[in-house]
């Protein structure tokens, strides 16, 4: 992997609390999927495991329906826990 091949992961609400940061740049290997990135996040911060399984994800502002979606360098992934409100 060459320098600069990263994906930016932005955490919101409970995901931010569990991650301890609001944003992180993660290295991205060729062919890596959203599922691979999620698994890597859980390995790095086990407290995320209980939160990430309930989250929705956006890739560059578009909802991701399939975590096997390959990511590209420079992509931005938003991690959105369930929201409640009235």
């Amino acid at each position: 992997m060459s320098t600069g091949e990263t994906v930016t992961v932005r955490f919101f609400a409970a995901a931010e609390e569990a991650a301890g940061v609001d944003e992180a740049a993660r290295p991205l290997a060729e062919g890596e999927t959203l599922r691979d990135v999620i698994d890597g996040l859980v390995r790095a911060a086990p407290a995320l495991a209980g939160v990430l399984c309930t989250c929705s994800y956006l890739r560059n502002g578009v909802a991701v329906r399939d975590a096997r979606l390959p990511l590209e360098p420079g992509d931005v992934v938003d991690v959105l826990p369930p929201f409640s409100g009235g």
Side-chain angles (χ1 to χ4, degrees), residues 20-40:
V21 296
D22 63 349
E23 186 174 293
R26 304 288 300 174
L28 186 69
E30 186 175 336
E32 250 188 324
T33 66
L34 177 58
R35 171 54 47 207
D36 297 326
V37 170
I38 293 167
D39 291 346

Side-chain angles (χ1 to χ4, degrees), residues 3-30:
T3 304
E5 291 185 339
T6 61
V7 62
T8 300
V9 181
R10 300 188 306 185
F11 301 97
F12 295 89
E16 179 181 348
E17 186 175 322
V21 296
D22 63 349
E23 186 174 293
R26 304 288 300 174
L28 186 69
E30 186 175 336

Side-chain angles (χ1 to χ4, degrees), residues 7-10 34 57-60 71 75-79:
V7 62
T8 300
V9 181
R10 300 188 306 185
L34 177 58
Y57 298 89
L58 303 179
R59 174 186 176 216
N60 302 325
L71 298 174
D75 280 350
V76 176
V77 174
D78 293 328
V79 181

Side-chain angles (χ1 to χ4, degrees), residues 44-61:
L48 281 169
V51 175
L52 295 182
C53 65
T54 65
C55 290
S56 298
Y57 298 89
L58 303 179
R59 174 186 176 216
N60 302 325

